[in-house]
Amino acid sequence: MSHLKNLKLANAKPLATHSDPIQRARDTVVDALAAQKTMVEAKLAGQHYAPTHKVWRKNEAGQRVLVEAPKRVRQGWFQDAYRKIFFGLRYAGKAIEFAKDKNAIEVGQLDALPDVIDTLIEAVRAGELDTQLAAAAAERSKQLRKAG
């Protein structure tokens, strides 16, 4: 018993993961928007944005090892024929409509895009896009059930 007296004991619980699908969708979209913001800020600074993640691969000996590989992040903004910049958001493989038949935000110039992304992050956290995210997730779920 004298060994336990040397330890600092506490009544603690692990951090609960989000079991709420809406909150999970919000977190996913906020993470994607943060990556978009980092990408556009790197582009404005003239730098290359190359995020990485850890994946399991087989080495020359045939053993599975954990390595760092480049992560593919799609650019969320695009230009039209008049050189205006637009930003579109995708979730569950579907373009999100911000309003009826409006699937992009007109930004104008690239240097205004980080502010637009910040506004979108606030809107997602406030739950303003919950219905669109739920509809996209439901449609994706239907497609996956058909394929399986």
Side-chain angles (χ1 to χ4, degrees), residues 42-145:
K43 184 167 181 93
L44 288 171
Q47 300 171 346
H48 179 68
Y49 176 67
T52 59
H53 63 138
K54 303 229 183 240
V55 294
W56 289 97
R57 299 270 164 85
K58 287 189 177 183
N59 63 6
E60 296 83 21
Q63 298 172 331
R64 287 182 42 146
V65 293
L66 191 62
V67 296
E68 216 168 89
K71 184 177 180 181
R72 181 175 168 216
V73 179
R74 263 190 195 159
Q75 180 175 301
W77 66 91
F78 56 92
Q79 282 185 335
D80 69 350
Y82 302 107
R83 298 271 201 212
K84 285 185 186 174
I85 303 287
F86 291 88
F87 184 78
L89 179 62
R90 296 184 68 84
Y91 178 72
K94 184 176 187 274
I96 299 298
E97 287 189 347
F98 299 105
K100 180 84 170 136
D101 297 329
K102 308 284 185 190
N103 66 345
I105 299 169
E106 184 177 336
V107 178
Q109 298 297 321
L110 191 61
D111 56 353
L113 188 54
D115 294 333
V116 170
I117 292 174
D118 285 337
T119 304
L120 273 173
I121 289 173
E122 291 171 14
V124 169
R125 285 186 177 145
E128 294 179 27
L129 296 175
D130 285 351
T131 55
Q132 292 95 325
L133 297 177
E139 187 174 318
R140 177 70 172 176
S141 177
K142 279 193 253 181
Q143 289 174 350
L144 289 176
R145 275 185 262 156

